[in-house]
Amino acid sequence: MRSTAADHDVVVVGGGQAGLGIGFALRRAGIARVSVIDAAAPGETGVWTTTARMVTLRTPKQWPEPEFGISELGFQAWYESVHGEHAYESLQRIPRLTWARYIEWIGTHLGVPVRHHTRLTDIAPGPDGLTLTLTLRRPDGTETTIQETTRKLVLANGVEGTGGPYLPPELEKLPASLLAHTGHDIDFTRLTGKTAGVLGAAASAFDAAATALEAGATEVHLFTRRPDLIVQDAVGPSVNLGARNNYHRRGDEARWRQRVLAARAGRSVPLESVTRATAFAGFRIHLDAPWLAAKQVGNQVVVDAADGRHTFDFVIAGTGYQYDPHTRAELRGIAGEIALWGDRCRPDLADSALAQTPYLGKGFQLIEKQPGRAPWIGRIHVFSAAAHLSFGYPIGDTQSLAHHIPRLVDALGRDLYFEDQQSAPAPTPAAPPASLRHHYRHAIWSPQLAPSKTSAALP
């Protein structure tokens, strides 16, 4: 029987560009009982004003956005209304903070309300098997914990996904006063006049290094374990839309092999990020120099790298993310029921980190590890970077919105509709409708009203 007592049909966790787009698409699909929540304050949602540090977006300005083909809501229409048509024509890439202002604007016009300062802390199956019970925390002067129920849950929490920033073992013992991950909100003004070491050579590592130098750091040393950088040219990576949008239909072994080989090849960095950092005299790149150990000595960090010993006032880890649900607070209680890629695919190529990534169904839903034990786990859908192994690239990024939000919403709508059909009560015999004959009685023909027939003689 359908649970009519559920507080929501869908709860979306994350009020950034993906969460807003999902909320808008759900409303267009006729799914009205939707709540979008976000732990951040208004104006701080998403990464664009916090942990994103690129100067411009890495995607072309013409790529579709969360407006779903409504041109009046697109970035171009907004930018031209603010800056003029000529300004848009001369724009090469969208500035990051300009994009943040656009997302704030479109959020207002999409009319998707977001409950800010609301953090999901726990998920449990509802007593009826048709809902999930969510524990939410809201700091309203005192920490208030509440529980709400929903039929579907969408995790649209960006790059952190079902895990969080990955710190290699050699950095785990460093205190937060000397270490930050690129996924953290870093106060770069603390680095003015100081030296910093950056581990990693992908875009986020270079952007953090450049931001530190722009904030007044005297020296920044960036380390990569590879003998050379993997640099994108100014045009950027080529995109095969057919391959990208059909990636999830490939077999498990083919998807696994491609992602493992990509991980082994290393992450690339845009040329713009490289030239931004190398413009500073105090920037140095250490090639073929993985870190072997790092320890605190006084108020500094001493790093033993493959190319020698180095001392820094602060270190930044540009070491990516992991998506193990056991490490995520709100998923920890149910993580044992979630099927991981390591449970479903055991090919020759091994990768322990990728093996801990959730295995998703075609509608972005989690799959239960043991069939029949926790069918409610499929009520949770993952629309975040944790879907990269199942769908081929980070879901939730700008480039994924126009193509994959409709797929998610279609899956949600399908599940809710057929669930309602299966649980609907048997129809009662319909009473005959009240007659409205008085509106047309005067026009009804009958033989009594017909003119008298006369037998006219034939000519």
Side-chain angles (χ1 to χ4, degrees):
M1 180 176 178
R2 177 185 172 185
S3 173
T4 57
D7 297 310
H8 313 284
D9 283 328
V10 183
V11 169
V12 181
V13 180
Q17 59 185 22
L20 292 174
I22 294 167
F24 179 57
L26 286 169
R27 189 173 74 241
R28 295 184 72 199
I31 302 173
R33 298 198 311 151
V34 176
S35 179
V36 180
I37 66 173
D38 198 286
E44 298 178 9
T45 300
V47 300
W48 303 116
T49 61
T50 54
T51 59
R53 302 179 182 97
M54 72 283 282
V55 176
T56 62
L57 270 60
R58 311 194 205 286
T59 50
K61 66 179 182 180
Q62 298 90 351
W63 278 27
E65 300 122 17
E67 88 291 350
F68 301 105
I70 303 175
S71 58
E72 293 84 354
L73 294 175
F75 175 82
Q76 180 177 353
W78 173 79
Y79 194 84
E80 289 180 349
S81 70
V82 176
H83 302 284
E85 294 183 9
H86 179 72
Y88 178 80
E89 288 297 323
S90 61
L91 190 67
Q92 297 300 313
R93 292 287 178 96
I94 301 174
R96 170 176 56 87
L97 295 179
T98 300
W99 180 256
R101 290 193 292 273
Y102 164 68
I103 293 297
E104 183 178 359
W105 175 84
I106 196 175
T108 300
H109 287 273
L110 291 180
V112 177
V114 178
R115 289 193 286 166
H116 289 279
H117 299 296
T118 304
R119 181 181 297 276
L120 174 65
T121 61
D122 191 47
I123 307 167
D128 55 7
L130 299 178
T131 59
L132 299 168
T133 299
L134 310 181
T135 302
L136 309 176
R137 191 175 71 239
R138 294 189 304 195
D140 52 357
T142 61
E143 291 285 333
T144 302
T145 299
I146 60 174
Q147 286 192 329
E148 297 179 4
T149 56
T150 184
R151 297 170 67 192
K152 287 283 190 175
L153 177 67
V154 178
L155 302 178
N157 55 339
V159 292
E160 292 195 355
T162 56
Y166 169 72
L167 287 176
E170 57 268 24
L171 299 183
E172 290 178 348
K173 293 183 180 180
L174 293 178
S177 59
L178 297 175
L179 166 69
H181 189 276
T182 53
H184 298 153
D185 193 0
I186 304 172
D187 180 7
F188 285 95
T189 61
R190 294 174 50 205
L191 301 183
T192 301
K194 296 184 178 181
T195 61
V198 177
L199 179 60
S204 61
F206 269 90
D207 290 339
T211 303
L213 290 162
E214 291 164 357
T218 55
E219 289 186 13
V220 174
H221 294 249
L222 181 142
F223 295 75
T224 174
R225 68 182 185 275
R226 305 189 184 282
D228 205 353
L229 302 177
I230 305 173
V231 183
Q232 301 172 12
D233 61 27
V235 177
S238 59
V239 177
N240 183 328
L241 293 179
R244 187 184 73 178
N245 294 332
N246 290 284
Y247 181 93
H248 66 288
R249 295 187 172 98
R250 302 179 66 187
D252 289 353
E253 290 200 10
R255 288 187 288 174
W256 174 268
R257 181 176 182 82
Q258 181 166 330
R259 297 312 301 169
V260 170
L261 292 178
R264 293 182 180 182
R267 297 290 299 275
S268 62
V269 56
L271 180 60
E272 298 95 322
S273 295
V274 176
T275 57
R276 177 187 174 194
T278 56
F280 290 86
F283 181 66
R284 292 291 180 268
I285 300 172
H286 296 246
L287 298 174
D288 206 9
W291 288 10
L292 309 175
K295 62 181 179 180
Q296 178 183 4
V297 178
N299 294 323
Q300 293 182 308
V301 178
V302 175
V303 173
D304 287 321
D307 64 351
R309 175 166 288 186
H310 310 273
T311 301
F312 302 109
D313 297 310
F314 194 78
V315 294
I316 299 172
T319 47
Y321 293 81
Q322 54 78 27
Y323 301 108
D324 181 358
H326 293 84
T327 66
R328 190 84 188 169
E330 65 269 29
L331 295 173
R332 195 170 294 134
I334 63 172
E337 306 292 355
I338 298 173
L340 307 177
W341 268 85
D343 302 319
R344 301 295 295 263
C345 188
R346 300 179 183 275
D348 295 335
L349 290 176
D351 190 298
S352 58
L354 290 177
Q356 299 302 310
T357 304
Y359 182 96
L360 303 182
K362 299 299 187 289
F364 299 92
Q365 75 274 22
L366 294 175
I367 304 295
E368 55 182 333
K369 180 172 292 189
Q370 183 176 330
R373 176 172 164 172
W376 51 267
I377 212 76
R379 294 184 177 277
I380 304 172
H381 297 247
V382 176
F383 197 85
S384 70
H388 74 102
L389 186 46
S390 296
F391 285 84
Y393 67 108
I395 299 299
D397 277 12
T398 305
Q399 66 216 47
S400 74
L401 304 180
H403 298 284
H404 289 292
I405 287 179
R407 177 174 293 133
L408 169 70
V409 171
D410 178 70
L412 293 169
R414 177 198 63 215
D415 291 352
L416 293 172
Y417 173 78
F418 284 107
E419 182 176 286
D420 288 349
Q421 297 305 300
Q422 293 170 1
S423 61
T428 57
S435 175
L436 297 176
R437 180 173 285 203
H438 63 280
H439 286 285
Y440 56 87
R441 181 178 289 117
H442 63 281
I444 298 175
W445 181 89
S446 71
Q448 290 78 13
L449 298 176
S452 300
K453 292 184 179 180
T454 60
S455 54
L458 292 174

